[in-house]
Amino acid sequence: MIVISTETIPGWKITEVKGLVQGNTVRAKHIGRDIAAGFKNIVGGELKGYTELLTEARREALERMMSQAKELGGNAVVNLRYATSMITSGAAEMMAYGTAVVAVKEQE
Amino acid sequence: MEELEFFISTGSFLVLFMIGFIFGRLNEKRHLARLAKEQKELNDILCTDLKRYPADIDSSITPVLVTGHVVIANDYFKMIAASLRNIFGGSVKSYEALIHRARWEASIRMLKEARENGFDAICNIRFETANISNGVEVLAWGSAFKRK
């Protein structure tokens, strides 16, 4: 499945628009990671545990969005956007949304 | 006894303050130096935030979504400095530096992903910031494509 952040796909023709699709996931942080992050808050720097956690969460949100697009009968998602929000102090929500479309490869 | 307690609490605060100041500064310097070095190697990738692809796109290769993100925490010294700033107002330099670093790192990770997949340009780049447990998360994403 093609997932792209622009409205068009070069080399492909969009023949049908299937509608808005979205996927989200809410992740809570791990206590072990939180303790490590507490130390990092003293010296500063990247919180690698959190970076990995969010990579995973975002991938899941994207996969949910893609399966929704498949259900609608689309083979591509265009104009993809991401959104992140803190729900409570311990959990973050990742969301991915876009427009599911049917795209056909253009003949040269 | 009370004096001892006071000594311990202010002492640990001062120690954290000093550790934060020294290591935080060191970390930031090292990080910025690494970012500058990596940026030099990735400078030939054309970056825009335009919605449309330029005319010189090689449309035989389908563009791909590339993302980069990072979570960075502020150090103890800067956290205290920022909370003091909250009293008097004005620009909070320590957070400016933190977000600058985070955004730079995120965009470099995105550029690296494009380079690894053999692309030489990115368009429609978007940035997003969220705050996560005393730190910031910056996400950058865009559409990587190949030029003729």
Side-chain angles (χ1 to χ4, degrees):
Chain A
M1 181 173 277
I2 304 164
V3 178
I4 200 85
S5 72
T6 47
E7 288 165 22
T8 54
I9 314 168
W12 294 68
K13 197 169 185 285
I14 293 169
T15 53
E16 203 180 330
V17 178
K18 291 290 187 183
L20 185 78
V21 285
Q22 49 148 307
N24 75 332
T25 171
V26 179
R27 287 291 174 101
K29 51 194 180 185
H30 187 273
I31 189 132
R33 277 171 174 160
D34 219 30
I35 291 165
F39 284 119
K40 260 286 153 79
N41 275 332
I42 298 166
V43 295
E46 187 188 344
L47 304 173
K48 286 217 173 71
Y50 281 164
T51 307
E52 279 164 27
L53 186 85
L54 295 184
T55 307
E56 229 172 82
R58 205 159 272 133
R59 198 170 49 220
E60 198 178 317
L62 205 63
E63 267 163 23
R64 285 182 185 172
M65 186 198 71
M66 279 153 74
S67 67
Q68 208 182 346
K70 215 173 273 171
E71 266 172 39
L72 287 177
N75 68 343
V77 177
V78 295
N79 214 9
L80 178 93
R81 296 279 180 270
Y82 282 116
T84 314
S85 49
M86 287 289 274
I87 304 292
T88 62
S89 62
E93 193 217 13
M94 306 286 129
M95 184 194 177
Y97 58 103
T99 304
V101 295
V102 177
V104 199
K105 189 125 198 162
E106 267 172 6
Q107 254 69 45
E108 295 282 317
Chain B
M1 205 55 204
E2 259 178 35
E3 279 170 349
L4 188 71
E5 246 170 53
F6 176 75
F7 184 73
I8 289 171
S9 63
T10 47
S12 60
F13 172 77
L14 282 176
V15 166
L16 286 180
F17 202 67
M18 287 306 290
I19 288 175
F21 181 72
I22 296 162
F23 285 92
R25 183 157 284 206
L26 216 69
N27 270 347
E28 185 179 303
K29 225 177 178 180
R30 223 184 287 143
H31 190 196
L32 286 175
R34 182 171 60 77
L35 287 175
K37 206 181 110 210
E38 290 180 348
Q39 180 70 57
K40 241 179 229 165
E41 290 162 12
L42 297 163
N43 259 347
D44 53 317
I45 296 179
L46 178 76
C47 293
T48 67
D49 63 351
L50 301 172
K51 280 190 167 184
R52 290 204 176 79
Y53 294 95
D56 63 347
I57 179 175
D58 180 357
S59 50
S60 63
I61 296 159
T62 307
V64 162
L65 180 81
V66 285
T67 58
H69 79 121
V70 68
V71 184
I72 291 189
N74 227 355
D75 61 64
Y76 198 75
F77 173 79
K78 286 189 166 181
M79 227 154 68
I80 300 296
S83 57
L84 285 178
R85 255 291 176 227
N86 270 338
I87 302 168
F88 305 110
S91 81
V92 188
K93 286 251 164 58
S94 63
Y95 274 89
E96 278 175 17
L98 179 78
I99 293 173
H100 170 69
R101 263 167 79 193
R103 202 161 280 145
W104 201 358
E105 177 74 50
S107 72
I108 280 195
R109 284 181 187 181
M110 178 187 66
L111 288 169
K112 271 187 184 165
E113 198 185 318
R115 166 70 36 96
E116 276 165 21
N117 291 311
F119 295 104
D120 59 6
I122 306 175
C123 77
N124 206 9
I125 295 174
R126 295 279 179 269
F127 285 104
E128 226 213 37
T129 317
N131 79 318
I132 281 164
S133 81
N134 291 324
V136 287
E137 196 233 356
V138 175
L139 167 72
W141 76 94
S143 302
F145 62 93
K146 191 126 177 83
R147 282 186 290 168
K148 268 174 197 161

